[in-house]
Amino acid sequence: MEVSNRYIVINTHIEDAPKESHFELKTESFSLEPGSDAVIVKNLYISIDPYQINRMKSFSSSQKAIGFAVPVTVGEVVDGIAVGKVVASRNPKFEKDDLVVGVFTWAEYSLVKEVNIINKLETSEFPLSYHIGVLGFSGLSAYAGFFEVCKPQKGERIFVSAASGSVGSLVGQYAKHLGCYVVGCAGSQKKVALLKEKLGFNDAFNYKEETDLKSTLKRYFPDGIDIYFDNVGADMLEAAVDNMNAFGRVAICGVMAEYTDSGKRAAPEMLNIVYKRITVRGFLAADFMNVFPDFLSKTLDYLRTGKLRALEDISYGVENIPPAFVGLFNGDNIGKKIVKIADD
Amino acid sequence: MEVSNRYIVINTHIEDAPKESHFELKTESFSLEPGSDAVIVKNLYISIDPYQINRMKSFSSSQKAIGFAVPVTVGEVVDGIAVGKVVASRNPKFEKDDLVVGVFTWAEYSLVKEVNIINKLETSEFPLSYHIGVLGFSGLSAYAGFFEVCKPQKGERIFVSAASGSVGSLVGQYAKHLGCYVVGCAGSQKKVALLKEKLGFNDAFNYKEETDLKSTLKRYFPDGIDIYFDNVGADMLEAAVDNMNAFGRVAICGVMAEYTDSGKRAAPEMLNIVYKRITVRGFLAADFMNVFPDFLSKTLDYLRTGKLRALEDISYGVENIPPAFVGLFNGDNIGKKIVKIADD
């Protein structure tokens, strides 16, 4: 079987904010070579994630030293998490029509090796897209980052940045269900309203309307912050550290405000970190596969009982991956950004 | 009994580097009031610690929010850790000639409440000064900071800054005895030689001779740093984070380079902290009283068998407290800075 494919490449390394002109739509045809043990996956939903920008930078930037984030090569298809359907297989473990989640490509079709398939879905009680969002790494990031990294207690005060994003929106909901006091920040009034009215946050604010984040946080947390779940870094992180209580915990899930501006850095007051005995810890969801069963069980339960809302922001068509990705950095998305490539 | 006393005050708040002119020697006489349950302590050895500078800043600076570090009042005697001898007592728990360690004052004599006495020494196998250094909070900071905060494993690579200081010199020795590879930095060739030749560090360097700390650390740690025990903060902290391995741990014991220059901040690359899953944790020895018995037992054992060297740098006389303190910030001291006030 030969497939005719459209796919996305970067045509240059991207040092600052991404633009659509950094990307190109290309076409190709390919088939399964005899002797191969790969499969061809028809992509259905592709996850669009901010951290990918760090893989698109040139090799000279600091990321090159970090084995985890394999750089994206100019002119070659971008890889990313997706859910798709096997349309051809030379691997005995997979057959036509199997639904699979894995590291595929920004493309209509992906030639996939077994190692890049994370799991096969036997059945899906929820929309397929959930498997790359609330039931996938976004969900695991929120769950493990909150429960395992922050070690929250009922009644503690939690601050979440990028709170209407794929991870932040789930952290806030998990925290509420634990019995915490939760405040989120986001970049528009619409998002703020969503946090307060639909997701049950105790309070929320639009950071773009604030001029002094330290005072803002003091206003929202007169008794201090116990846990800060950080998705943005930079001055928000500094302001949070300034407002933290003794033995406060900061989980660094991402630092989106720093991704597209290498001059932007968080310089938290270290004396605060000493005197308040603050722990700042970076983490990756992939390190917490040991809690995946617990995560899945709790999250499915919350979804079934309507206690958890999975926010999705879906665009359509492979050609719309670049604008979807660029839009992440303009705050266009609400919740998990996904591009739907084809019907199930 | 009335004592005639000489003591040290600050005559102004100190915002940057301390100078001798910020301090004043005053005189007074006092006695135990009837009905009091205090004691009068004749100070023998006084601990001189860099963190005290943060208590001498004006109330408007960020420290004011931190309950732990009670500000020093202009014109009133500075308090600090000391070891002394009871010369008069109205408290039934203490009698004349008891040796006591506690939070006393920068003075020849201190009027002391029971709550400020940390412990009574029944006997002292080692010099009395050890009880405010290697057997006191400096030792506990090193022990708890290294073993409890950093959770080191044999064979790991450890970097210690201010490595010839009261805490750093002990951290390096504990780490060596655990079987770690240890590199320290200090501010002179003499200190570097001491670390390598007397304290058993695997290697050491003079940071004042280095122009690019990131490259320096890469040279000393070609396989990366697993643990950074930070006493200085600022650009050294940034460079260490840059050179850390996955799952690296940073214990922030102090940030001396930032104490006297409020514009100096560490802005570590947060993306490194995420991708390398680094934990940065501030701590205070006082939170680890639960390990004090273990600390004491191991440290006494090391001292008895000659496996641990306690570096002390002793000045004499209450009038020499200000120059001793000022000298800390010029790197004058080697090891624990102590002012001896009187013979035992």
Side-chain angles (χ1 to χ4, degrees):
Chain A
M1 178 192 179
E2 184 172 270
V3 295
S4 164
N5 190 30
R6 295 192 300 158
Y7 63 101
I8 302 292
V9 304
I10 53 170
N11 55 32
T12 181
H13 289 297
I14 307 174
E15 302 306 330
D16 298 309
K19 289 184 280 212
E20 290 187 42
S21 61
H22 291 135
F23 299 89
E24 214 169 296
L25 181 70
K26 291 193 156 190
T27 59
E28 64 178 354
S29 328
F30 64 83
S31 55
L32 284 176
E33 300 293 324
S36 148
D37 63 353
V39 304
I40 296 176
V41 170
K42 181 184 183 186
N43 291 311
L44 303 175
Y45 296 94
I46 294 176
S47 172
I48 307 296
D49 300 294
Y51 77 87
Q52 294 265 52
I53 190 70
N54 300 309
R55 303 180 54 221
M56 297 173 183
K57 292 175 182 171
S58 71
F59 286 51
S60 63
S61 61
S62 69
Q63 283 65 49
K64 72 173 170 179
I66 305 169
F68 190 87
V70 183
V72 173
T73 305
V74 169
E76 287 185 20
V77 66
V78 178
D79 56 355
I81 300 281
V83 58
K85 185 180 271 181
V86 173
V87 291
S89 172
R90 285 191 186 270
N91 186 302
K93 294 188 189 154
F94 302 96
E95 57 187 39
K96 194 167 176 304
D97 292 337
D98 277 352
L99 290 170
V100 285
V101 178
V103 183
F104 305 154
T105 53
W106 284 10
E108 292 174 309
Y109 293 92
S110 305
L111 186 66
V112 176
K113 291 179 183 160
E114 185 181 332
V115 68
N116 287 322
I117 297 176
I118 298 169
N119 65 335
K120 184 156 78 172
L121 302 173
E122 297 308 332
T123 166
S124 186
E125 181 182 349
F126 293 101
L128 273 183
S129 54
Y130 277 27
H131 296 281
I132 54 171
V134 61
L135 298 175
F137 277 107
S138 301
L140 183 62
S141 293
Y143 182 90
F146 183 58
F147 291 105
E148 300 293 313
V149 176
C150 297
K151 302 193 192 307
Q153 299 290 320
K154 184 176 172 176
E156 286 195 311
R157 292 172 187 80
I158 320 293
F159 175 50
V160 185
S161 57
S164 72
S166 58
V167 177
S169 60
L170 298 172
V171 170
Q173 294 178 84
Y174 285 131
K176 279 304 300 174
H177 293 318
L178 181 67
C180 296
Y181 181 85
V182 185
V183 178
C185 73
S188 74
Q189 273 317 115
K190 187 179 164 191
K191 291 176 179 177
V192 165
L194 177 80
L195 295 175
K196 293 200 280 190
E197 290 156 25
K198 305 280 186 194
L199 301 187
F201 280 59
N202 293 88
D203 216 333
F205 65 90
N206 178 356
Y207 71 88
K208 291 183 181 165
E209 288 177 355
E210 302 294 332
T211 51
D212 175 0
L213 293 172
K214 287 184 185 175
S215 310
T216 303
L217 288 178
K218 195 160 188 57
R219 212 163 68 235
Y220 284 93
F221 291 96
D223 298 316
I225 300 169
D226 297 307
I227 288 173
Y228 173 41
F229 194 100
D230 187 16
N231 291 301
V232 303
D235 49 349
M236 192 67 83
L237 175 53
E238 291 177 16
V241 164
D242 210 68
N243 280 280
M244 292 203 82
N245 290 329
F247 302 105
R249 287 134 280 156
V250 178
I252 314 275
C253 179
V255 288
M256 195 159 167
E258 302 183 23
Y259 291 168
T260 53
D261 182 352
S262 58
K264 216 165 173 180
R265 290 277 195 96
E269 173 78 80
M270 285 293 157
L271 200 57
N272 267 327
I273 289 182
V274 176
Y275 281 165
K276 300 198 285 192
R277 295 85 118 195
I278 293 170
T279 301
V280 177
R281 184 172 161 200
F283 75 97
L284 295 173
D287 294 325
F288 291 94
M289 292 309 289
N290 61 313
V291 301
F292 197 87
D294 292 341
F295 149 68
L296 208 56
S297 145
K298 178 175 270 190
T299 305
L300 284 169
D301 184 51
Y302 281 167
L303 286 171
R304 285 179 191 127
T305 54
K307 290 174 79 178
L308 196 71
R309 292 176 70 123
L311 301 179
E312 296 188 314
D313 187 322
I314 301 185
S315 306
Y316 299 88
V318 69
E319 67 281 7
N320 282 318
I321 291 176
F325 184 68
V326 169
L328 287 177
F329 298 91
N330 302 326
D332 291 351
N333 61 304
I334 295 188
K336 178 72 192 180
K337 186 66 206 175
I338 285 169
V339 176
K340 180 172 182 176
I341 305 295
D343 284 319
D344 309 3
Chain B
M1 176 190 179
E2 184 172 90
V3 295
S4 161
N5 191 30
R6 295 191 301 158
Y7 63 101
I8 303 291
V9 304
I10 53 170
N11 55 30
T12 179
H13 289 297
I14 308 173
E15 301 305 331
D16 298 310
K19 290 184 281 212
E20 289 186 42
S21 60
H22 291 135
F23 299 90
E24 214 170 299
L25 181 69
K26 290 194 159 189
T27 58
E28 65 179 351
S29 332
F30 64 84
S31 54
L32 284 178
E33 299 295 322
S36 147
D37 63 352
V39 304
I40 296 177
V41 171
K42 180 183 181 187
N43 292 312
L44 304 175
Y45 296 95
I46 294 177
S47 172
I48 308 295
D49 301 294
Y51 78 86
Q52 295 265 52
I53 190 70
N54 301 308
R55 304 180 53 222
M56 298 174 183
K57 293 174 183 172
S58 71
F59 286 49
S60 63
S61 60
S62 69
Q63 283 65 51
K64 72 174 173 179
I66 305 168
F68 190 87
V70 183
V72 173
T73 305
V74 170
E76 286 185 20
V77 66
V78 178
D79 56 353
I81 300 282
V83 59
K85 187 180 271 182
V86 174
V87 291
S89 173
R90 288 194 186 265
N91 186 303
K93 294 189 187 151
F94 302 96
E95 57 187 40
K96 193 166 175 306
D97 293 337
D98 278 353
L99 290 169
V100 285
V101 179
V103 182
F104 305 153
T105 52
W106 285 9
E108 292 173 310
Y109 292 91
S110 305
L111 186 66
V112 176
K113 292 180 184 159
E114 184 181 334
V115 67
N116 288 322
I117 297 176
I118 298 169
N119 65 335
K120 183 156 79 172
L121 302 172
E122 296 307 333
T123 164
S124 187
E125 180 182 349
F126 294 102
L128 272 182
S129 54
Y130 278 26
H131 296 281
I132 54 171
V134 61
L135 298 175
F137 277 109
S138 301
L140 184 61
S141 292
Y143 183 90
F146 183 60
F147 291 106
E148 299 294 311
V149 176
C150 298
K151 302 192 190 310
Q153 299 289 320
K154 182 176 173 176
E156 286 195 311
R157 293 171 186 82
I158 319 293
F159 175 50
V160 185
S161 56
S164 70
S166 59
V167 177
S169 61
L170 298 172
V171 170
Q173 294 178 83
Y174 286 130
K176 279 305 300 175
H177 293 318
L178 181 67
C180 296
Y181 181 86
V182 184
V183 178
C185 72
S188 74
Q189 273 316 117
K190 187 178 166 192
K191 291 175 179 176
V192 166
L194 177 80
L195 295 175
K196 293 200 282 190
E197 291 157 25
K198 306 278 185 195
L199 300 187
F201 281 58
N202 293 88
D203 216 331
F205 65 90
N206 178 355
Y207 72 88
K208 290 183 181 164
E209 289 177 356
E210 302 294 332
T211 50
D212 175 1
L213 293 172
K214 287 184 185 176
S215 310
T216 303
L217 288 177
K218 196 160 187 57
R219 213 163 68 232
Y220 283 93
F221 291 96
D223 298 316
I225 299 168
D226 297 307
I227 288 173
Y228 172 41
F229 194 99
D230 188 16
N231 291 301
V232 303
D235 48 351
M236 193 67 84
L237 175 53
E238 292 177 15
V241 165
D242 210 69
N243 280 280
M244 291 202 84
N245 291 328
F247 302 104
R249 287 134 280 156
V250 178
I252 314 274
C253 180
V255 288
M256 192 158 172
E258 302 183 24
Y259 291 169
T260 53
D261 181 352
S262 58
K264 217 165 172 182
R265 289 278 194 96
E269 173 78 79
M270 285 293 158
L271 200 56
N272 266 327
I273 289 181
V274 176
Y275 281 165
K276 299 198 286 194
R277 294 86 115 195
I278 293 170
T279 300
V280 177
R281 183 173 161 199
F283 75 98
L284 294 174
D287 294 326
F288 292 94
M289 292 310 289
N290 62 313
V291 301
F292 197 88
D294 293 341
F295 149 67
L296 208 55
S297 146
K298 178 176 270 188
T299 305
L300 285 169
D301 185 52
Y302 281 168
L303 287 171
R304 285 178 190 128
T305 54
K307 288 174 81 178
L308 196 71
R309 293 177 71 123
L311 301 178
E312 295 187 314
D313 187 323
I314 301 185
S315 306
Y316 299 89
V318 69
E319 67 281 6
N320 282 317
I321 292 176
F325 183 69
V326 169
L328 287 177
F329 298 91
N330 301 327
D332 291 350
N333 61 305
I334 295 188
K336 178 73 192 178
K337 185 66 206 175
I338 284 169
V339 176
K340 180 172 180 175
I341 305 296
D343 284 319
D344 311 1

